[in-house]
């Protein structure tokens, strides 16, 4: 990424060029450092101490947290839970909520992507289209077999209803 600060404007204008999801914390820290002289009252960055959404594992490693999580949700296949947990971390609890097995999560659109997960993606991650769900949020589109256009239509219908 590249940061360019324009100081001719009031207030200063920061241009962010490029960047990757894997470097966003470093980018944010660098941006704050550049802006601090113009906003001295600005609080220091907290990215080192702040968990990502779903990353609040209570000081445990993912594997230890998952072991407890899977034990508490025995009605689900472990592989199914692991896929969700890798994607959503502790927020997986919100997706499965009161369900006791995969069947309780509604239609499976393929590769374990369920109606309940799609509803979560709409309500909590702003997914609006089947493309958002299949390619931007989950990458499930990479693994679908069969008529992907028909599957996308079913997902879109689900999004439109919820």
């Amino acid at each position: 990424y590249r940061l360019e600060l324009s100081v001719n404007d009031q207030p200063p204008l920061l241009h962010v060029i490029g960047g990757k999801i894997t470097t966003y914390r470093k980018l944010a820290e660098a941006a704050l450092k550049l802006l601090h002289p113009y906003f001295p009252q600005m609080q220091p960055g907290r990215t080192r101490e702040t968990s990502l959404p779903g990353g609040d594992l209570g000081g445990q490693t993912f594997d230890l947290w998952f072991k407890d999580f899977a034990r508490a949700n025995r009605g689900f296949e472990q592989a199914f839970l692991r896929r969700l947990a890798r994607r959503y971390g502790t927020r997986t609890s919100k997706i499965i909520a009161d369900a006791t097995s995969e069947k309780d999560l509604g239609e499976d659109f393929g590769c374990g992507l369920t109606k309940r997960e799609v509803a979560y993606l709409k309500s909590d991650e702003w997914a609006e289209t089947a493309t958002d769900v299949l390619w931007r949020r989950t990458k499930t589109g990479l693994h679908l077999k069969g008529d992907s256009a028909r599957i996308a239509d079913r997902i879109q219908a689900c999004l439109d209803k919820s």
Side-chain angles (χ1 to χ4, degrees), residues 56-68:
D56 49 337
L57 303 174
Q60 296 180 303
T61 65
F62 175 84
D63 289 332
L64 284 175
W65 171 83
F66 181 76
K67 187 176 180 180
D68 292 340

Side-chain angles (χ1 to χ4, degrees), residues 74-101:
R74 290 187 180 168
F76 292 87
E77 293 289 326
Q78 244 193 37
F80 179 84
L81 283 180
R82 186 170 291 279
R83 181 190 61 79
L84 283 177
R86 280 282 175 210
R87 193 174 285 164
Y88 305 107
T90 58
R91 291 183 167 194
T92 302
S93 296
K94 186 172 183 177
I95 296 170
I96 64 173
D98 57 350
T100 58
S101 72

Side-chain angles (χ1 to χ4, degrees), residues 13-143:
L13 180 62
L14 179 65
H15 299 272
V16 179
I17 299 105
K20 300 180 197 175
I21 193 142
T22 56
T23 61
Y24 79 95
R25 287 186 191 235
K26 292 243 184 248
L27 186 153
E29 290 171 7
L32 287 175
K33 189 175 181 179
L34 273 176
L35 291 170
H36 190 266
Y38 303 96
F39 302 97
Q41 74 285 3
M42 184 170 56
Q43 297 292 314
R46 299 184 312 259
T47 61
R48 284 193 172 97
E49 299 88 39
T50 305
S51 297
L52 293 173
D56 49 337
L57 303 174
Q60 296 180 303
T61 65
F62 175 84
D63 289 332
L64 284 175
W65 171 83
F66 181 76
K67 187 176 180 180
D68 292 340
F69 181 74
R71 188 177 309 120
N73 294 284
R74 290 187 180 168
F76 292 87
E77 293 289 326
Q78 244 193 37
F80 179 84
L81 283 180
R82 186 170 291 279
R83 181 190 61 79
L84 283 177
R86 280 282 175 210
R87 193 174 285 164
Y88 305 107
T90 58
R91 291 183 167 194
T92 302
S93 296
K94 186 172 183 177
I95 296 170
I96 64 173
D98 57 350
T100 58
S101 72
E102 290 94 352
K103 289 183 285 186
D104 297 332
L105 300 179
E107 180 179 0
D108 183 336
F109 297 106
C111 303
L113 177 67
T114 64
K115 183 177 180 179
R116 180 93 60 100
E117 185 177 354
V118 170
Y120 168 82
L121 290 167
K122 180 178 181 177
S123 68
D124 288 54
E125 296 195 11
W126 311 295
E128 295 181 4
T129 67
T131 299
D132 288 338
V133 170
L134 291 171
W135 297 101
R136 294 186 190 101
R137 302 303 192 287
T138 69
K139 304 294 188 252
T140 302
L142 293 169
H143 308 287

